[in-house]
Amino acid sequence: MYNKEQTQHLQQQTLSFLNDSDEHIEAAPVNLLRQVLRFHEYRYYILNDPLIADAEYDRLYKALEKIEQQQPGLITADSPTQRVSKGLIKDFPKVQHLVPMLSLDNSYNAPDLADFDRKAKELSGLPVIAYCVEPKFDGASISLIYENDLLVRGATRGDGVVGDDITTNIRQIRSVPLSANFSAYGIQQIEIRGEVLMNKDHFKAYNDLLEEKGENRLANPRNAAAGSLRIKDPREVNRRNLEAFLYHISDITLLPGHHASPALETHSGSLKMLWELGFRSPENEKKVLTGIDEVIAYCEAFEKQRDTLPYEIDGMVIKVNEVAVQEKLGMTTHHPRWAIAYKFKARQGTSKLRAVEFQVGRTGAVTPVAKIDPVLVGGVTVGSISLHNEEYIREKNLRIGDHILIERSGDVIPQVVKSFPELRTGEETPILFPVSCPVCGYPLEKPEEEAIWRCNNSNHCPAQIVERIIHFNSKDAMDIRGLGDAIVRKFYTLGYLKDIPGIYHLPYDIIREMEGFGNKSVTNLQLAIEASKKQPLHRLIYALGIRYIGEATAKALAQRVEHLLDFTTLTIEELQETEDVGPKVAESVYQFFHNAENIQMLKQLEDIGLQLKNKKKELHSSNNLSGQTFLFTGTLNQLKRNVAESIVEENGGAILSGVSSKLNYLVVGDDAGSKLEKAKKIATIKIINEEEFLKMVGEPEK
Ligand code: IVH
């Protein structure tokens, strides 16, 4: 889409914008600004390799928004600002597809594919056939129509002949270009097919959000994508972070006097054309192969990599590459004869629900967990599965003894897809929710508007105490390695560890003698516990396991105080002045800091030597790394890696996960390896050592 020269030119233009004042950017030609923004959308959403920080993109976007607000006459339908749409959608009108959206025939193994190849050769009369093989994306299929280079319609598949017009929602998907230069290929109108997806990370985050809101998790990203396309609030669709792969051209009308481009003679040529026009087509994932053996090998190799992809695929699609040969083979009423799906091993399995146990979490939430006959799903044996809450059980119509279908997809945690009431024998029994805590016997409560029953005996319920200690130690909290789930449970049962401060008073002499512990492991445990005392305040806040407080909110809260106990003086209203803190979260924090036992525990922790003071705030919280990206490699001498990373974030910078052109600084410790080598090849990355890094952030505490 952009060659090297164009890339360099547009990036230079970007930097000159960013080095200028907002007033200057707003005085720039509006088309230039749009060109720059589209270029960065492409880098981000199509190539997944942004050249600027999100905040920098936002600054340019805001400048464009301002120009358009002041001079509405300049707005164009394909302006980057024109995706977002404010009002609600009334309904999705029915629309007819230009060409029916057929399904694909399925195959499951090598002999099935060999059979497909044999028939294709027979029907075409060719001795060998070239195939284009690409992933089978597991999402919701869509059809897009572009007319005179503009996106004019987006529709769902519907029954294959008539679908729903979802144009407004499709415009919210940033990997779908609002305009594309089809006229350069002599094309006046084109219908393109593809798949809308929600990637695994976004799916997991979305499911976590549903759970937090007391709603039910979705079984798979496909349902999440399909459901999202039918939402009537386009801004909500925008927030769902959907993506689209476009993989098939189903209809073309040429401009008068033009001939079809040679690119369209092969399927791989169309994928390339789409890619070059700025679409996310499977250009880099596809392979053109001759002979079915190579096809089979490619499919099998791809299946092995399935888990490493950021999105779900449920197989591969094998397409005859030459369009002329496709036409010769034709189609049945159900599927084309020139293409076939090769389905991967299912990640679904059927089982029987034998019993339900009720587990109590650290916030007292009681979760029903089904014990099922062990079943192998996508290589993992599943023997128990969360049923989340009472509402979920009702919605899925579950009874003890039921046959159920389960799926492990996207967010790895297996989910119940459905039960089979038609297989019931009459022996099945309803799942009864307990009225009192299954661990401590305290009566359970459920506020009207929530889905979850809770044990509110928080400081005395053994289950909650143990879960809170486990959370306190966890990697993203105080990061005490060597004190995981099983050990915490064991120490609790033996009476060696009865609350959080108890972590700092473990009877090491006794533990050293226990089976499975040696001198070395006890010393390591002691060191890890000692090191945890130095963890910054935001980690401690997160570690306390206050309801609704995730890592991000903990960071925002930590910024509010000089000392953790200052929270005892803040009102619910004052707490709500914190970023992302609404009434519910504020109430929860307020309650926590107005509970005498909690305060006593915090004072104990301070006496033990934990950091209740906000040292970062005094020493080096600033915005002086704003928009800068960092990556640490090798062993640092003075700072722990996670401390160094949080210093970057607290100074407004961001941590990247790998070396790429987006990286500004690689901070190199001892024994740095391949990351350093890679960074040396990218001229724009500054390579610095730990001392230089400390100078940049103003020598924080070590
Ligand atoms: S081609 C006429 N290619 O799978 C051929 N379909 O089970 C049209 N799908 O309805 C389909 N990835 O929604 C094609 N790379 C891919 C695909 C793909 C996913 C979906 C599509 C289709 C369904 C058939």
Side-chain angles (χ1 to χ4, degrees), residues 491-690:
F491 286 0
Y492 184 85
T493 318
L494 292 169
Y496 302 159
L497 177 57
K498 54 181 192 350
D499 53 17
I500 287 173
I503 296 170
Y504 298 92
H505 302 296
L506 287 174
Y508 293 115
D509 288 344
I510 303 179
I511 296 171
R512 223 183 292 274
E513 303 303 319
M514 283 169 69
E515 212 186 305
F517 288 90
N519 271 336
K520 194 160 174 238
S521 63
V522 172
T523 310
N524 283 340
L525 180 59
Q526 273 177 300
L527 286 173
I529 290 176
E530 203 48 37
S532 73
K533 295 182 182 170
K534 298 276 174 301
Q535 290 287 16
L537 184 60
H538 67 84
R539 276 187 175 252
L540 177 59
I541 296 178
Y542 173 65
L544 293 173
I546 307 169
R547 204 168 147 199
Y548 305 123
I549 307 300
E551 283 176 86
T553 317
K555 278 188 181 159
L557 284 169
Q559 294 299 321
R560 290 292 311 274
V561 289
E562 298 289 336
H563 189 282
L564 185 57
L565 290 174
D566 294 350
F567 280 119
T568 55
T569 63
L570 296 185
T571 64
I572 294 186
E573 289 70 35
E574 283 166 337
L575 283 165
Q576 285 185 61
E577 287 159 23
T578 317
E579 203 181 328
D580 279 346
V581 173
K584 211 165 68 172
V585 180
E587 167 77 26
S588 167
V589 176
Y590 184 87
Q591 291 302 343
F592 185 90
F593 287 97
H594 284 79
N595 174 309
E597 285 172 278
N598 291 341
I599 301 304
Q600 197 197 344
M601 172 184 74
L602 293 176
K603 286 189 174 148
Q604 266 176 288
L605 290 177
E606 186 163 41
D607 290 343
I608 290 165
L610 273 78
Q611 299 277 352
L612 269 64
K613 275 208 185 126
N614 191 353
K615 286 210 164 176
K616 295 275 163 48
K617 189 170 170 146
E618 294 159 23
L619 286 172
H620 57 269
S621 181
S622 75
N623 257 333
N624 56 12
L625 302 183
S626 170
Q628 303 291 333
T629 56
F630 286 78
L631 179 64
F632 293 87
T633 185
T635 315
L636 302 181
N637 290 316
Q638 310 192 35
L639 296 170
K640 275 182 81 172
R641 172 82 61 100
N642 56 11
V643 175
E645 290 179 350
S646 56
I647 291 174
V648 169
E649 285 172 353
E650 278 158 30
N651 282 286
I655 301 292
L656 296 189
S657 56
V659 175
S660 72
S661 50
K662 304 174 256 186
L663 184 65
N664 299 122
Y665 291 95
L666 182 75
V667 185
V668 180
D670 295 342
D671 304 320
S674 62
K675 287 192 180 128
L676 175 59
E677 293 313 311
K678 199 168 168 199
K680 280 182 183 163
K681 295 192 188 118
I682 305 177
T684 50
I685 301 180
K686 295 182 202 70
I687 298 171
I688 60 172
N689 61 27
E690 194 178 354

Side-chain angles (χ1 to χ4, degrees), residues 358 360 364 366 390 431-446 453-456:
F358 293 88
V360 185
V366 176
E390 216 180 7
I431 300 169
L432 296 178
F433 234 81
V435 288
S436 57
C437 175
V439 179
C440 74
Y442 203 80
L444 297 184
E445 290 171 47
K446 182 172 87 71
W453 286 94
R454 267 172 215 283
C455 163
N456 285 327

Side-chain angles (χ1 to χ4, degrees), residues 224-502:
S228 300
L229 288 178
R230 304 194 50 84
I231 296 175
K232 301 231 161 143
D233 179 359
R235 279 169 306 180
E236 177 56 24
V237 182
N238 193 286
R239 281 193 283 273
R240 299 273 173 101
N241 293 303
L242 301 171
E243 306 175 15
F245 270 99
L246 279 310
Y247 47 66
H248 178 68
I249 294 173
S250 48
D251 193 52
I252 276 189
T253 309
L254 293 173
L255 287 161
H258 281 77
H259 294 288
S261 154
L264 300 169
E265 286 167 14
T266 56
H267 176 68
S268 54
S270 336
L271 293 184
K272 186 154 187 271
M273 176 186 89
L274 290 173
W275 178 260
E276 281 173 356
L277 287 170
F279 289 85
R280 195 157 172 222
S281 75
E283 170 66 8
N284 300 314
E285 293 78 5
K286 65 113 207 334
K287 201 152 187 174
V288 178
L289 297 162
T290 320
I292 205 68
D293 292 342
E294 287 190 29
V295 168
I296 293 166
Y298 189 61
C299 290
E300 287 172 353
F302 223 98
E303 182 165 9
K304 292 208 178 80
Q305 292 177 25
R306 176 184 193 183
D307 285 328
T308 65
L309 295 175
Y311 45 80
E312 278 289 324
I313 63 175
D314 60 340
M316 303 295 284
V317 183
I318 296 101
K319 300 175 180 175
V320 169
N321 198 34
E322 300 280 334
V323 173
V325 182
Q326 289 183 359
E327 279 165 3
K328 199 158 178 194
L329 295 177
M331 40 189 92
T332 71
T333 48
H334 171 259
H335 60 259
R337 286 198 201 89
W338 48 263
I340 192 163
Y342 170 82
K343 301 275 277 210
F344 290 161
K345 276 174 225 53
R347 280 167 159 187
Q348 288 192 334
T350 49
S351 179
K352 224 169 164 186
L353 199 165
R354 294 290 178 187
V356 175
E357 285 177 4
F358 293 88
Q359 291 180 355
V360 185
R362 71 181 151 83
T363 60
V366 176
T367 309
V369 178
K371 298 290 156 187
I372 63 172
D373 286 345
V375 51
L376 196 66
V377 188
V380 175
T381 305
V382 180
S384 59
I385 185 164
S386 173
L387 301 180
H388 305 292
N389 55 52
E390 216 180 7
E391 165 66 25
Y392 186 90
I393 294 173
R394 203 172 311 126
E395 197 177 88
K396 304 270 174 186
N397 186 9
L398 300 175
R399 291 192 194 164
I400 294 171
D402 265 351
H403 289 266
I404 52 171
L405 178 67
I406 68 168
E407 176 165 317
R408 209 172 59 82
S409 163
D411 90 354
V412 183
I413 304 169
Q415 305 286 336
V416 176
V417 181
K418 59 177 189 161
S419 66
F420 296 96
E422 64 274 30
L423 298 181
R424 282 183 186 153
T425 60
E427 310 242 308
E428 296 75 16
T429 52
I431 300 169
L432 296 178
F433 234 81
V435 288
S436 57
C437 175
V439 179
C440 74
Y442 203 80
L444 297 184
E445 290 171 47
K446 182 172 87 71
E448 195 67 41
E449 68 283 3
E450 284 186 20
I452 301 206
W453 286 94
R454 267 172 215 283
C455 163
N456 285 327
N457 186 20
S458 46
N459 287 336
H460 302 281
C461 172
Q464 294 181 56
I465 296 171
V466 168
E467 292 302 327
R468 268 202 301 273
I469 298 174
I470 293 170
H471 173 74
F472 187 87
N473 300 341
S474 63
K475 189 166 170 291
D476 297 327
M478 301 303 267
D479 193 19
I480 305 180
R481 293 182 198 181
L483 204 53
D485 289 32
I487 296 183
V488 169
R489 286 183 213 286
K490 192 168 187 175
F491 286 0
Y492 184 85
T493 318
L494 292 169
Y496 302 159
L497 177 57
K498 54 181 192 350
D499 53 17
I500 287 173

Side-chain angles (χ1 to χ4, degrees), residues 157-176:
R157 178 174 187 275
D159 63 7
V161 178
V162 172
D164 289 340
D165 185 331
I166 50 162
T167 313
T168 313
N169 283 347
I170 291 287
R171 291 174 72 93
Q172 311 308 315
I173 305 172
R174 266 93 71 188
S175 49
V176 173

